[in-house]
Amino acid sequence: MALDIMGGNVDCGFIVASVVLPHIQSGRLRAIAVSGKERSGLLPTVPTVAESGHPGFDATFFETLMAPSGLPAPTVDKIQRDVRTALQAPAVRARLAEMDLRVEANSPQDAQGRGREDFAKWGVIAQKTRAAAGLKREFRLGQEANSDVPRA
């Protein structure tokens, strides 16, 4: 994406701050806004999209550690405890901050809820975008319906 913006192929895009920071510092790219609820730790003077005139805008991305659904609860609990401990280590937190990542370390239930919320929010946007483009593919949580795209 960064190369396409610098090459004039696209006008703009959301790109992880840590990836484009050298290009912003060199002047090859200009940071206009960040997509999350909070300003970037790497670009603290760049406003959020919400601060830029679009209240409520939030396109915060997140990473979720997943395991097979049949994993025994004690194993899930141990993995979660160990990961939470690792994420609190100063060296890990510092490295994540360098990548402009924030640690939340939520419960499995919180992660599932966030996944459902994001699927609902972005699913609506994807369907509207596809409809505007004249495509008919629909998605529902956990299944795919009305696919007009050939499968490989």
Side-chain angles (χ1 to χ4, degrees):
M1 175 67 72
L3 293 175
D4 279 334
I5 294 169
M6 289 185 290
N9 297 318
V10 295
D11 295 327
C12 63
F14 286 109
I15 310 171
V16 176
S18 60
V19 171
V20 294
L21 187 60
H23 301 298
I24 292 168
Q25 291 169 331
S26 74
R28 294 186 73 201
L29 288 176
R30 182 175 64 151
I32 298 170
V34 295
S35 65
K37 292 183 206 177
E38 300 173 19
R39 291 187 179 207
S40 164
L42 296 179
L43 302 167
T45 62
V46 177
T48 66
V49 173
E51 291 173 321
S52 300
H54 301 279
F57 186 95
D58 178 23
T60 304
F61 299 96
F62 69 103
E63 301 291 332
T64 302
L65 179 61
M66 296 190 182
S69 60
L71 208 60
T75 303
V76 171
D77 292 342
K78 179 174 179 5
I79 291 170
Q80 187 175 22
R81 272 192 317 275
D82 292 349
V83 169
R84 187 179 301 262
T85 298
L87 290 173
Q88 297 305 320
V92 172
R93 290 184 75 85
R95 180 64 182 123
L96 292 172
E98 289 172 10
M99 296 185 293
D100 207 21
L101 299 173
R102 292 181 181 94
V103 175
E104 289 186 12
N106 294 328
S107 71
Q109 296 77 17
D110 291 337
Q112 288 174 346
R114 171 70 190 266
R116 282 190 202 95
E117 289 170 11
D118 273 13
F119 188 90
K121 175 171 76 173
W122 295 110
V124 168
I125 291 168
Q127 287 180 0
K128 286 180 180 179
T129 302
R130 293 187 65 77
L135 303 172
K136 298 177 184 174
R137 190 174 193 172
E138 293 180 19
F139 293 93
R140 294 189 189 109
L141 188 57
Q143 62 185 350
E144 184 177 336
N146 302 328
S147 176
D148 61 351
V149 179
R151 295 182 185 259

